[in-house]
Each structure stands twice: as structure tokens, then as C-alpha cells.
Amino acid sequence: MAQRKSPSTSGSANRPAGGAARSPKGQAGRGPAGKGPTGPGRPPAKKGKSIVNQKQTPWGMIIATVLVVLFAVAVVVVVIATNKGSSDSSDPYRYPEVAAAKKIQGVAYHVEPNHNHKDGILTYDTTPPTGGNHSQYWADCTGTVYAQPIANENAVHMLEHGAIWITYNADKVKGTQLDGLKQIVSGVDRLALSPYPNLKSAVSLQAWGYQLFVDSPSDPRINQFIAALKLNPKVTPESTASCSQPTFKAHPSTFGHPLWVPAPASASSGASSGA
């Protein structure tokens, strides 16, 4: 009796080995997901350099930072310079301008913070000087009249002790006018009088940090200046120091030749203090 053949499943003979499923329609020949065809006729796309990965120098920020730093440095320099010349009621070398001096027309005031003892010829910011570094050896200022110009460096030290230094132009002030100045000064403690080379006015008066120029020895502001500033505790850095210096009075310095110590006994003749 003939055997029946078992019916085979339709299309089973045409399936690939291993039961692999046929690719969906339209997917044949495509490369990895999301990419275009990779057939032999199309070369692979070249990768360009990413703009995002290129590092750029932030010149704008660098310039702005430099400008800010320079501005800050300039501010610091200005503050330091301003404070150097500013007044301070707690510092005897930076006392504020006194009201009595402000009332005198023509009085110039400025802070003189430097006050160290230095040997030799020194440079000053006013002529005649009104303060600053000076010789350790002060000029006598016990109502002393000097016949010749004395050294700035010795005169400045007496200003530190509360003296008023009256200077005059010897070409403009003579005779009775000079006698009038001598009468004001002679024998009065904390006053000194001397001629001064090339003085721009007939007379000038100096206290520590203050100065007044006048054109006449009879100007009433001379006595006003003396009354307001002589040994004034709000003007004088060393108000308790003495004005007496007998050795300097006997043998004073000469202009441009400051004394650091007393001159030998054989030096120039001294000053007068009598009326």
C-alpha cells in the first residue's frame, strides 16, 4: 500500500536557513540606522572640523581687566599723594590752618610733613622755606637780628620751635624802614630777622607751614602775622623746645653754608639782640 506524503507548509522550502525573517520592504541596501545608503556608488561622508571645538582668545575680557587694574592703581596713587599733603589735627606737623591766619589777607598755608635732621644743603618747596628737613643745629631766635643772610637749614629748625622768621630784601629795605623791623624783633623771644638774597618782595614772614609777602616794612599785617602764629600750639610742632642757641648767635651760619655743629670761635661775627 502506497504511503501518503505529508503536506508541507506553504513557502517553507523558500525560507532561509535558520528561520531568518525577510527584510521589510524598502530597507534593503541601507546602512546603519539613521544613515543614508552605503552602496558602492556613494563614498562615505567626510567629517569636518567642529567650530565648537576651536578655542578663541577672549581679548575683550583681557583688555577690560587690564583697564580696571590700571584705574585702581591710579586711584591708590592719587589717595596717597593727597593724604601726604593733607592736614591732621592729631599730627603736629599736619595741623589744619588756624582761623586767625585765614583772616590775614595774603597768608599762604600748606602742610610741611618732613622734619628730619639732615646734614648739608637741602632743597625746599618755598623761598624762603617754611618748613621741611633741616639741620640739627637751630638758629638762635630770641629776638635776634642777623646782619647777614643765614642758612635755610638752620633757620627752618627755629621755625619748628615756634619762631617767626622775618626776612627782607636789603636792596629795598634800608635806613629807617630797616630800623622799624629791628624794633619789632629785637629782644622778643621767638623772633628773628635777617636779609634774604633776591627776595621777591620787600619783606616776607615765615612760620612753620605759613608765609606772607608784603611790599612795605610798615604793613600792619606784619604784626598780625606775628600775633597769630608765634609759638601758637596749633602751629608749632615743638612748642616746648628752646629758641636759645648762644653759640649760633655768636657765630651764625652764612647763606648756602649750613652749620651742623657750632662753628669754631674764629668764625664770623655774631648777631645782635639789643633794641
Side-chain angles (χ1 to χ4, degrees):
M1 188 173 175
Q3 295 181 341
R4 290 179 69 179
K5 291 183 180 180
S6 299
S8 60
T9 305
S10 176
S12 60
N14 297 326
R15 290 179 182 176
R22 183 179 295 176
S23 299
K25 186 177 181 180
Q27 297 298 319
R30 287 188 175 273
K35 295 186 178 180
T38 57
R42 180 185 290 270
K46 295 182 179 180
K47 293 183 180 180
K49 186 178 293 184
S50 175
I51 297 177
V52 177
N53 293 333
Q54 295 179 3
K55 294 184 178 179
Q56 299 182 0
T57 303
W59 289 112
M61 182 177 294
I62 293 174
I63 294 173
T65 302
V66 171
L67 291 176
V68 169
V69 172
L70 292 176
F71 178 77
V73 171
V75 170
V76 171
V77 170
V78 170
V79 170
I80 292 174
T82 301
N83 288 338
K84 185 178 180 179
S86 63
S87 60
D88 182 354
S89 58
S90 64
D91 184 346
Y93 292 93
R94 296 177 182 271
Y95 282 143
E97 184 178 6
V98 296
K102 290 182 180 180
K103 296 178 181 179
I104 304 173
Q105 184 180 4
V107 170
Y109 160 79
H110 66 279
V111 172
E112 291 283 7
N114 298 323
H115 56 278
N116 295 320
H117 290 174
K118 291 190 175 183
D119 196 5
I121 299 175
L122 306 177
T123 301
Y124 293 99
D125 54 9
T126 60
T127 303
T130 58
N133 296 327
H134 49 267
S135 170
Q136 65 176 357
Y137 186 48
W138 69 86
D140 186 271
C141 45
T142 56
T144 312
V145 175
Y146 295 97
Q148 301 297 326
I150 61 175
N152 288 330
E153 295 77 6
N154 301 116
V156 168
H157 195 162
M158 73 179 177
L159 299 182
E160 189 179 36
H161 293 190
I164 302 296
W165 180 24
I166 303 177
T167 55
Y168 63 93
N169 186 320
D171 294 330
K172 298 179 179 180
V173 180
K174 303 175 182 179
T176 57
Q177 289 186 324
L178 180 56
D179 291 338
L181 290 179
K182 290 180 179 180
Q183 189 173 3
I184 292 173
V185 173
S186 295
V188 180
D189 190 40
R190 311 289 166 164
L191 293 183
L193 173 68
S194 71
Y196 197 90
N198 302 315
L199 188 66
K200 69 178 184 179
S201 64
V203 180
S204 71
L205 296 92
Q206 289 71 225
W208 188 276
Y210 295 83
Q211 190 164 49
L212 173 66
F213 293 97
V214 298
D215 294 324
S216 171
S218 60
D219 193 309
R221 291 176 295 170
I222 292 176
N223 286 322
Q224 293 171 11
F225 187 96
I226 294 171
L229 300 173
K230 179 171 72 75
L231 199 59
N232 186 325
K234 291 299 182 181
V235 173
T236 306
E238 297 181 3
S239 57
T240 60
S242 173
C243 239
S244 177
Q245 191 72 277
T247 55
F248 188 94
K249 186 175 181 178
H251 305 287
S253 62
T254 57
F255 191 80
H257 299 86
L259 291 174
W260 184 248
V261 294
S266 59
S268 61
S269 59
S272 63
S273 60

